[in-house]
Amino acid sequence: MSRRRLGYLLKHANLRLSELVGAALAPYGIDGREFAVLALLDSPVPMSQLDAARRLGIDRTTMVAMVDALERKDLVRRRPHPDDRRKNVVEPTERGHRTLGGARIAVDAAEEEFLSTLSGGDAGLLRDVLERLVPPPAG
């Protein structure tokens, strides 16, 4: 396998970034996937589990398990949707907001460390190119 293959490079770059982010999030008691869910739910617009699952590209069963885990950690709560009583809104608790605040800073630092071997211009270019390659989330 050639180290120049795109698949190899992207996979190993993602593994390295995941290691850094995982270590940065450990003090907050969450992992990268839980961070993504918590960050998405930190929105002024009420969001159901199904809406969040669609936005993150996660199947419903996995999302239920993730929200259950976040709820057990007192980071999110479910409440009836104000416009549709058949749905529940999932939102961060006060503890969830505090955790997310610190976790965002930690993730920013981990990303900065990951990109530290690149010049500022190259780091920005990498983000720009990846944004063009990754389709926007659904819905």
Side-chain angles (χ1 to χ4, degrees):
M1 155 98 29
S2 170
R3 286 181 49 104
R4 299 265 322 143
R5 290 276 178 210
L6 187 57
Y8 177 89
L9 293 169
L10 289 172
K11 175 185 174 186
H12 288 276
N14 184 54
L15 287 172
R16 177 67 181 129
L17 179 59
S18 294
E19 288 171 3
L20 292 169
V21 168
L25 289 174
Y28 299 94
I30 58 176
D31 61 27
R33 290 171 35 145
E34 291 171 325
F35 172 76
V37 172
L38 195 54
L40 179 67
L41 294 173
D42 185 37
S43 167
V45 178
M47 193 174 307
S48 71
Q49 280 181 186
L50 183 56
D51 294 336
R54 285 185 186 133
R55 296 270 311 272
L56 291 171
I58 298 173
D59 68 81
R60 287 182 356 194
T61 303
T62 301
M63 180 58 77
V64 168
M66 292 182 73
V67 170
D68 286 348
L70 289 168
E71 196 170 40
R72 281 191 301 275
K73 295 175 184 182
D74 190 34
L75 298 176
V76 300
R77 73 176 150 260
R78 293 172 170 104
R79 66 174 175 82
H81 193 287
D83 301 325
D84 186 345
R85 297 184 57 77
R86 297 168 295 167
K87 291 182 182 180
N88 279 324
V89 169
V90 183
E91 60 192 2
T93 60
E94 277 304 311
R95 181 176 181 194
H97 285 294
R98 287 192 311 271
T99 298
L100 185 58
R104 281 186 167 133
I105 293 167
V107 168
D108 287 347
E111 289 181 1
E112 189 174 314
E113 180 180 344
F114 175 74
L115 296 171
S116 66
T117 60
L118 302 177
S119 71
D122 284 348
L125 179 61
L126 177 61
R127 285 182 190 274
D128 292 345
V129 169
L130 289 172
E131 284 180 351
R132 287 185 288 186
L133 291 173
V134 176

